[in-house]
Amino acid sequence: MDQHNTHGPGPADRPAGRPAPRPDRDHDTWTTIDELHDWLEAETGIPPEQDLLLRMLKLSEEVGEVAQAVIGATGQNPRKGATHSWQDVEAELCDVIVTAMVALRTLTPDAATVFAGHVRRVAARPRTPLGP
């Protein structure tokens, strides 16, 4: 997937049977999340309740990988030294975001709308100065 493609695929690129993207959605991102969710649903062999819990726990695993990359990028483990780059940290943070989006999609088929509403509420929060 080309992460820099901001226009998304055209109608000719859409698989047969897939509806046109809704204008209130980031086509590339949420289509990919839907596809990842559908793939995981098809591949799992465990009950839905257990699958949901494991998807939520997957977030902790991914956050741990961010911590490992930060420690590696800063060389804070004297036994190992610098083992990661800040680009590795970026990639791990992206994995956290994708994993959270898939988890949200697991909770609701309308994940894009739920997320957009939450972002609007966050944007509307008053900003107070940081510090003493």
Side-chain angles (χ1 to χ4, degrees):
M1 173 177 51
D2 181 2
Q3 294 177 341
H4 301 288
N5 179 359
T6 58
H7 301 293
D13 299 322
R14 192 171 28 260
R18 180 167 292 278
R22 295 184 350 212
D24 64 330
R25 291 174 42 137
D26 176 349
H27 176 74
D28 289 335
T29 300
W30 285 107
T31 297
T32 299
I33 296 304
D34 286 341
E35 290 168 354
L36 287 169
H37 170 265
D38 294 348
W39 171 69
L40 289 168
E41 291 289 308
E43 293 296 319
T44 187
I46 59 177
E49 300 83 19
Q50 187 179 3
D51 188 47
L52 174 64
L53 293 175
L54 291 172
R55 294 234 180 113
M56 302 304 146
L57 289 175
K58 180 71 174 163
L59 281 165
S60 293
E61 178 189 7
E62 295 296 341
V63 169
E65 291 176 11
V66 171
Q68 181 180 17
V70 169
I71 289 167
T74 58
Q76 291 303 302
N77 184 334
R79 186 172 51 83
K80 294 181 180 179
T83 58
H84 291 74
S85 68
W86 286 105
Q87 288 75 29
D88 293 327
V89 176
E90 291 172 359
E92 296 299 345
L93 286 168
C94 289
D95 285 347
V96 169
I97 293 166
V98 169
T99 301
M101 292 174 84
V102 171
L104 179 61
R105 173 58 186 85
T106 301
L107 286 173
T108 176
D110 207 15
T113 302
V114 170
F115 184 70
H118 186 77
V119 169
R120 281 191 298 275
R121 287 187 298 279
V122 169
R125 291 178 186 163
R127 307 293 195 284
T128 57
L130 300 176

